[in-house]
Amino acid sequence: MANPKHKISRARRDKRRSHHKLTPPNLSVCPQCHEMKLPHVTCLNCGTYKGKAIIAVEEG
Ligand SMILES: [Zn+2]
């Protein structure tokens, strides 16, 4: 069976992981309300996607 020959030390494991998730998630600007939002995702501020209202947002 394929098996690792040696245990990877805590230091080596943690050095490898030091490069994980170094960049923040991409953000795009909502064309409706110009808030930052995740790309390809309905805007959570105004509830629209590609100019259409997808979810109702209660105001006030
Ligand atoms: Zn929006």
Side-chain angles (χ1 to χ4, degrees):
M1 291 283 268
N3 238 348
K5 213 159 228 175
H6 300 286
K7 174 175 179 162
I8 295 205
S9 67
R10 266 178 290 169
R12 203 173 148 189
R13 177 201 64 196
D14 293 348
K15 263 189 263 180
R16 179 179 67 230
R17 291 181 186 173
S18 74
H19 290 279
H20 291 187
K21 271 283 179 199
L22 279 183
T23 53
N26 291 324
L27 288 173
S28 58
V29 177
C30 172
Q32 198 77 23
C33 64
H34 307 289
E35 284 279 325
M36 298 304 271
K37 70 173 197 64
L38 292 171
H40 313 289
V41 168
T42 304
C43 175
L44 294 174
N45 187 58
C46 63
T48 63
Y49 186 69
K50 287 201 171 175
K52 288 182 181 173
I54 306 290
I55 45 177
V57 181
E58 60 264 35
E59 278 152 59

